[in-house]
């Protein structure tokens, strides 16, 4: 039962206690070890540098063997955990709208030749144009965004991309599942404004809009500055063939831009003067290759939307920033829609704060795990730990250091909430059983060698492996 159904959404301690109890119920194998590992992750002092050091935290009452045993051989009911996350109170925009962000963060494993299912992950270098492709595990996250400038998001789902996946198809399926869980939890009712899905330039937003057209969602994504879209075709004449598309709209050629349908100007605190211009009913030219190669016979769909050009006076360290091009799946945008959309897109970057938090402080990419299933299990523990920090946000004290400024009321960062979580830990439910006394196993005999050499796996796109009896996909459930 979700918090909304229990009628107590305002009690932060009840929310935190309910989530901890539900999380323990999701652990179906080695649950005590995994639960205490998540507590150790929350209560450790400073950033997580190694996985084994978490076994030294007082909240982890077991040895380091139980820690690794839980990560490598534990079981977690991901379907139930996803439903629990969808039932928690979520942040909303000023008009009550849910705003979700989708993005990929990479767990780089360049030297893990024996780890399967790695892909080449795009990684930015220190200088301009110095990006690299590094082997690793890419994870797709979905999170609900808050309306103001903040470093918090509400994590809802994560999926690891496999070598045989179509990234856009997987993203569409992931978003569809999240929306269906939100509908089942009562987070969206008939008559509510559509849920806004915000994406960056790495996604084909027009294809996603086509795949998710039957859901109560709007999609907003950034497009590259070299794109070319088309207006609707003009009315057909009495003679000749009816044109299939209208005039070109080249992002890099102002001569192809007609008068915008909507223009807004906003004075911002951090970016100076923000000018937004919108053109209605623009669509891309689709051809029968790549993702559209298997589309049913007949004409390819015409996916119309609104193009928004956003230009600001300055960014941090850049006095002449390039304009940002956005595509919205809706049409007939008003001035209020345009301002709401580009401001909602800027909130997408709050998800970068979450990625930095789970990587640099919670140590998401610290463990050197071999199996993807163990990596998925550890990733879920990190998501659970971050969610508990979000729920404890109204309860935590500001344990600032002498040289730090006091945080404003309600403005504690995730790192500061974690700093005071140990004081809350003893008051929350502790469903894990105490460890049983035992002795360590004999292990490998002294002087013997490991005769089972680990298999090395290639990196990159591959065909889907055959599913043998008794083996399930790590993404199932």
């Amino acid at each position: 039962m979700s918090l909304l159904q229990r009628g107590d959404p305002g009690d932060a301690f009840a929310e935190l206690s309910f989530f901890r109890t539900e999380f323990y119920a999701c652990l179906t194998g080695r649950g005590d070890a995994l639960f205490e590992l998540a507590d150790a992750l929350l209560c450790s002092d400073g950033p997580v540098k190694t996985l084994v050091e978490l076994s030294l935290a007082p909240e982890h009452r077991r040895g380091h063997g139980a820690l690794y045993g839980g990560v490598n051989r534990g079981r977690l009911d991901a379907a139930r955990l996803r439903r629990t996350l969808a039932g928690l109170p979520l942040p909303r925009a000023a008009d009550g709208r849910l705003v979700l962000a989708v993005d990929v963060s990479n767990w780089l494993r360049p030297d893990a030749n024996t780890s399967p299912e790695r892909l080449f992950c795009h990684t930015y270098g220190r200088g301009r144009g110095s990006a690299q492709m590094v082997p690793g595990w890419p994870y797709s996250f979905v999170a609900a965004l808050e309306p103001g400038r903040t470093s918090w998001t509400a994590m809802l789902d994560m999926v690891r991309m496999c070598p045989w996946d179509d990234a856009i198809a997987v993203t569409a399926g992931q978003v569809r599942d999240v929306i269906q869980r939100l509908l089942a939890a009562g987070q969206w009712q008939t008559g509510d404004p559509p849920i806004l899905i915000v994406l960056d330039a790495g996604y084909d937003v027009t294809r996603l809009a086509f795949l998710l057209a039957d859901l109560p969602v709007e999609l907003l994504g950034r497009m590259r500055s070299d794109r070319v879209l088309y207006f609707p075709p003009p009315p057909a004449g009495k003679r000749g063939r009816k044109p299939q598309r209208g005039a070109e709209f080249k992002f890099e050629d102002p001569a192809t831009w007609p008068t915008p349908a909507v223009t807004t100007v906003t004075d911002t605190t951090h970016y100076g003067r923000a000018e937004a211009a919108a053109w209605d009913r623009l669509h891309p030219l689709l051809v029968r290759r790549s993702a559209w190669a298997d589309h049913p016979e007949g004409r390819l769909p015409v996916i119309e939307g609104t193009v928004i050009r956003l230009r600001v006076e300055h960014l941090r360290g850049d006095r002449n920033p390039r304009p940002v091009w956005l595509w919205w799946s809706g049409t007939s945008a008003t001035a209020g829609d345009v301002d709401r959309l580009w401001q909602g897109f800027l909130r997408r970057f709050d998800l970068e704060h979450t990625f930095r938090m789970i990587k640099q402080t919670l140590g998401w990419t610290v463990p050197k795990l071999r199996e993807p299933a163990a990596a998925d299990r550890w990733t879920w523990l990190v998501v659970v730990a971050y969610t508990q920090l979000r729920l404890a946000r109204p309860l935590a004290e500001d344990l600032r250091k002498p040289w730090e400024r006091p945080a404003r009321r309600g403005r504690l960062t995730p790192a500061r909430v974690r700093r005071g979580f140990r004081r809350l830990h003893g008051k929350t439910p502790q469903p894990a059983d105490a460890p049983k006394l035992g002795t360590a196993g004999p292990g490998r005999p002294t002087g013997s060698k490991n005769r089972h050499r680990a298999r090395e796996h290639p990196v990159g796109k591959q065909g889907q492996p055959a599913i043998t009896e008794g083996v399930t996909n790590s993404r199932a459930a």
Side-chain angles (χ1 to χ4, degrees), residues 318-387:
D318 188 356
R319 306 306 299 181
N320 188 26
R322 300 181 63 182
V324 174
W325 292 94
L326 305 176
W327 188 89
W328 177 49
S329 60
T331 56
S332 303
T334 64
D337 289 332
V338 172
D339 286 339
R340 171 179 64 85
L341 291 169
W342 71 258
Q343 291 172 14
F345 175 78
L346 294 184
R347 297 276 62 81
R348 191 208 71 81
F349 294 97
D350 295 340
L351 193 54
E352 303 296 338
H353 295 289
T354 300
F355 291 155
R356 184 169 63 249
M357 171 67 186
I358 65 176
K359 286 185 176 180
Q360 297 182 2
T361 303
L362 298 182
W364 171 42
T365 58
V366 163
K368 306 301 182 183
L369 303 175
R370 175 183 295 178
E371 296 299 327
D376 295 345
R377 205 170 293 118
W378 168 250
T379 303
W380 275 122
L381 292 184
V382 173
V383 171
V384 166
Y386 183 85
T387 301

Side-chain angles (χ1 to χ4, degrees), residues 230-248 280-283 299 302 304:
Y230 295 89
F231 285 99
K238 296 182 179 180
R239 297 182 178 179
R241 183 180 179 182
K242 180 181 177 180
Q244 296 183 0
R245 54 184 179 273
E248 288 185 339
D280 196 23
R281 300 188 63 190
L282 281 162
H283 66 274
R299 292 187 57 183
V302 176
E304 291 185 339

